[in-house]
Amino acid sequence: MKLIYRTFLLFFILISFNASAQKRHTFEIKDGSFLYDSKPIQIHSGEMHYARIPKEYWRHRLKMLKAMGLNAVATYVFWNYHNTAPGVWDFKTGNRNLSEYIKTAAEEGLFVILRPGPYACAEWEFGGYPWWLQKNRDLVIRANNQPFLDSCKVYITKLAEQVKNLQVSNGGPVIMVQAENEFGSYVSQRKDIPLEEHRKYNKAIFEMLKNAGFNVPFFTSDGSWLFDGGAIPGVLPTANGENNIENLKKAVDKYHGGMGPYMVAEFYPGWLDHWAEPFNRVPAANIAKQTEKYLQNGISFNVYMAHGGTNFGFTSGANYNEEHDIQPDITSYDYDAPVSEAGWATEKYMAIRDLMKKYVKYPVPAIPGKINVIEIPEIKLKRAVDVLDLKKTITPVGGDKPLSFEELNQGSGYVLYSRRFNQPVNGKLQIKGLRDYAGVYVNGKRVGELNRVQNKYELDITIPFNGILDILVENMGRINYGEQIIHNTKGIISDVMINDFAITGSWQMYKMPFDAQPQTGKLQEKNIEGRPVLYSGSFELSETGDTFLDMSSWGKGIVFVNGHNLGRFWNVGPQQTLYVPGCWLAKGKNEIVIFEQLNQTPHNTVRSVKQPVLDSLSGSN
């Protein structure tokens, strides 16, 4: 009898605990205010993307936001980060465990603002779209197009399955969901599409989100002058980058029944950065002044970015302008944000924190301790193999003309295009459809490079009888913003021309996605100046900690440490170091693999430093 009683008591306690843990709160937009449990609140949010931070550091970075005085965290969801191949979904492994990220934010006392897209932008590869959508010729990106909408519905449904139970209406921390993203900007650029068609698309995405089970308040975000294209009837519009309080109120009132609440969904403390362009710095005093203006006027805001993190692997996107056909984003997403790439409190952080402590009514906790930082003076690279020799280990795809990455069913990395010439030829090599960077080799000797960043699509070339032309092409990230997002195929997407004659027949394409750390054990060692090389080595550590690989004397490529792709390096700068999270290092033996595309100076060591270098430009390319 006692056993039955104890069992019943334990069951009752568990049920009571679970009911308490799932206590539902309310969040609504009403009478010009944000109301949490019927009480007006101001949202002081910071943008931070789980995909750009090692999972092991999520809690530390969330604590940093809380200690800055914020009460919410906002995050994009990147469709392509979870839908890794057609029909393949991953919401559980490593950094992809979105539900765990949201739960961790709740444990740290933060509301969550979800920005599911399906378009994200965010300087992320293809703005978050899966690259393989482009393989369907009937599908039109970001348009009122049924194949595209069908794909969006699958994504939104899969996402909702993971997070709809984490909404505030179900006892979770998610208080708001964004409908699409900066759509007014796209409408302003795509005037070739009737406004009514744009609005049909935007409405379709909004309805999908609601039908999938998102039931918290929605919002849109655009520049305040772009609300006409991006606003949705009945949905709160928020203004990105709006510093003028009167302009903010005027724009929101026009599209929200003459009342607020008023929110800047992207308050920029820094800015994005491209390869071969200066690193953007924004003075802390300017940001503190603007923050205080918002606080004094009861304006809600989301600091974009509060902590940027890193574009690990091949996740960085690209822009373009009138001078550059593409502007690839650097690996670091430091963004000159209040919390640095490695999670450090900056001068900007302290200035905002001091203001928040002065104005907010809730307690602001102490700043968490800094993660240990180490320096590795020398890592010996004991092995080097020639990347052109990988031909021996890869079965090529043949074609009458070069095929794009998409036609080769490859999303990122590199493709080696190779052709033997049975007659000598010399003259002007032209590849107008290069996407994006190519090293050009004749019989294994580097003869130059073509580069979409600098609009360089031709060079003089001499190919002897029986000569072999190799073109190693790198995808430097798909465009993530603007009307050109619909033109995002990679590789060689046009004929290769010599003296205005198309070179057709007998092309061999060797796929090198490098989506995992390359294995080169079957290849003989070879290291020839000017030829692309894979260096490898190991190093011992007695303690672990964050560090920064010094790549300033290297050329161009990527680095793997213990199987983790740290991202791209390129000596043009402004970034000259690569962030190595200490949680990816081990006491004892560690492995490193460096793909060096230029190899202008062969190396046998690499070192790390304790301070990042993100603002040093070079004249090299």
Side-chain angles (χ1 to χ4, degrees), residues 200-485:
K200 285 179 181 177
Y201 161 74
N202 209 17
K203 181 181 179 182
I205 296 299
F206 179 45
E207 293 299 324
M208 282 182 201
L209 289 165
K210 291 192 294 184
N211 293 337
F214 291 104
N215 56 22
V216 294
F218 289 89
F219 69 100
T220 61
S221 64
D222 277 297
S224 55
W225 59 97
L226 297 168
F227 281 6
D228 190 56
I232 298 173
V235 173
L236 176 71
T238 64
N240 291 351
E242 184 55 78
N243 296 330
N244 186 302
I245 304 299
E246 292 309 310
N247 286 347
L248 171 67
K249 291 182 176 180
K250 183 178 179 180
V252 173
D253 286 351
K254 181 179 178 181
Y255 291 89
H256 199 247
M259 66 178 68
Y262 306 106
M263 181 170 180
V264 176
E266 292 189 2
F267 166 33
Y268 304 116
W271 195 240
L272 57 95
D273 300 285
H274 302 130
W275 290 110
E277 298 177 22
F279 186 85
N280 288 286
R281 297 282 186 193
V282 179
N286 294 8
I287 300 307
K289 183 178 180 180
Q290 187 61 40
T291 302
E292 187 161 32
K293 189 187 297 186
Y294 291 148
L295 292 169
Q296 288 173 339
N297 288 275
I299 303 299
S300 292
F301 58 83
N302 176 48
V303 180
Y304 188 102
M305 299 291 295
H307 170 57
T310 309
N311 295 313
F312 294 116
F314 299 118
T315 59
S316 58
N319 296 105
Y320 60 93
N321 62 14
E322 292 181 358
E323 291 77 37
H324 304 280
D325 291 342
I326 195 169
Q327 297 169 290
D329 296 306
I330 65 175
T331 297
S332 172
Y333 201 56
D334 179 89
Y335 213 86
D336 198 30
V339 182
S340 76
E341 179 181 14
W344 303 347
T346 65
E347 177 188 357
K348 199 173 293 181
Y349 179 97
M350 299 307 295
I352 295 173
R353 172 180 158 85
D354 288 345
L355 280 171
M356 300 303 290
K357 290 171 69 177
K358 176 181 175 182
Y359 282 93
V360 302
K361 296 178 181 179
Y362 50 79
V364 177
I367 301 172
K370 184 177 176 180
I371 291 171
N372 187 43
V373 180
I374 63 172
E375 182 176 329
I376 311 171
E378 183 180 84
I379 298 171
K380 291 184 178 179
L381 304 171
K382 296 183 178 180
R383 182 171 164 78
V385 300
D386 195 311
V387 169
L388 298 184
D389 282 351
L390 286 177
K391 282 183 177 182
K392 302 172 185 176
T393 66
I394 300 171
T395 302
V397 177
D400 188 54
K401 63 179 184 178
L403 301 176
S404 70
F405 276 44
E406 289 74 17
E407 289 170 322
L408 292 167
N409 203 36
Q410 179 176 321
S412 56
Y414 310 80
V415 171
L416 180 63
Y417 296 84
S418 186
R419 188 183 188 278
R420 183 182 296 275
F421 286 72
N422 56 21
Q423 296 293 331
V425 61
N426 66 82
K428 188 78 68 178
L429 171 71
Q430 278 189 336
I431 311 178
K432 293 182 179 179
L434 173 68
R435 303 293 186 268
D436 299 300
Y437 184 99
V440 182
Y441 309 85
V442 173
N443 288 343
K445 182 178 180 180
R446 183 182 175 90
V447 296
E449 125 272 329
L450 302 176
N451 185 341
R452 190 181 176 201
V453 178
Q454 297 164 336
N455 308 340
K456 183 180 178 182
Y457 298 110
E458 61 182 43
L459 57 79
D460 292 327
I461 196 167
T462 297
I463 304 173
F465 165 72
N466 205 33
I468 296 176
L469 172 65
D470 285 317
I471 307 169
L472 182 61
V473 176
E474 174 190 7
N475 165 10
M476 291 199 69
R478 289 179 178 82
I479 289 168
N480 59 260
Y481 177 83
E483 60 184 332
Q484 291 299 316
I485 196 171

Side-chain angles (χ1 to χ4, degrees), residues 34 65 88 172 193 246 251 330 411 418 433 452 454 495 527 538 558 577 611 614:
F34 293 118
L65 264 59
V88 178
I193 299 175
E246 292 309 310
I330 65 175
S418 186
R452 190 181 176 201
Q454 297 164 336
D495 285 329
N527 188 355
S538 61
I558 55 175
T577 55
Q611 291 287 335
L614 299 177

Side-chain angles (χ1 to χ4, degrees), residues 551-598:
M551 308 306 296
S552 58
S553 64
W554 292 71
K556 191 177 196 303
I558 55 175
V559 179
F560 292 85
V561 170
N562 292 336
H564 296 277
N565 187 337
L566 303 181
R568 300 181 180 93
F569 64 88
W570 192 8
N571 60 10
V572 297
Q575 179 175 357
Q576 301 292 348
T577 55
L578 283 176
Y579 174 52
V580 186
C583 58
W584 290 353
L585 297 173
K587 289 184 179 180
K589 187 178 180 180
N590 295 266
E591 294 184 345
I592 185 169
V593 174
I594 302 175
F595 173 38
E596 166 59 274
Q597 295 167 238
L598 306 184

Side-chain angles (χ1 to χ4, degrees), residues 48-103:
M48 194 170 81
H49 303 145
Y50 59 97
R52 286 175 157 136
I53 309 163
K55 179 181 177 181
E56 295 87 343
Y57 288 171
W58 284 351
R59 190 175 297 276
H60 175 266
R61 304 301 198 260
L62 291 164
K63 285 180 180 290
M64 289 294 292
L65 264 59
K66 186 74 172 177
M68 196 166 83
L70 305 181
N71 62 7
V73 59
T75 184
Y76 278 120
V77 181
F78 302 120
W79 177 358
N80 58 13
Y81 196 61
H82 297 284
N83 194 184
T84 54
V88 178
W89 296 86
D90 185 357
F91 284 97
K92 294 302 178 185
T93 65
N95 287 20
R96 291 177 169 84
N97 197 331
L98 173 58
S99 61
E100 183 173 337
Y101 180 76
I102 294 172
K103 291 173 185 175

Side-chain angles (χ1 to χ4, degrees), residues 109-164:
L110 292 165
F111 295 124
V112 175
I113 298 171
L114 204 63
R115 310 180 72 186
Y119 166 72
C121 186
E123 292 70 63
W124 186 268
E125 154 75 10
F126 205 3
Y129 293 134
W131 64 267
W132 41 262
L133 291 179
Q134 299 175 110
K135 290 172 65 67
N136 182 349
R137 296 185 182 277
D138 295 326
L139 188 150
V140 182
I141 296 293
R142 214 176 182 193
N144 186 34
N145 164 267
Q146 199 58 50
F148 180 61
L149 292 175
D150 290 344
S151 296
C152 291
K153 184 176 181 180
V154 174
Y155 159 64
I156 289 171
T157 302
K158 291 286 187 182
L159 173 63
E161 290 172 359
Q162 301 296 318
V163 300
K164 65 183 178 182

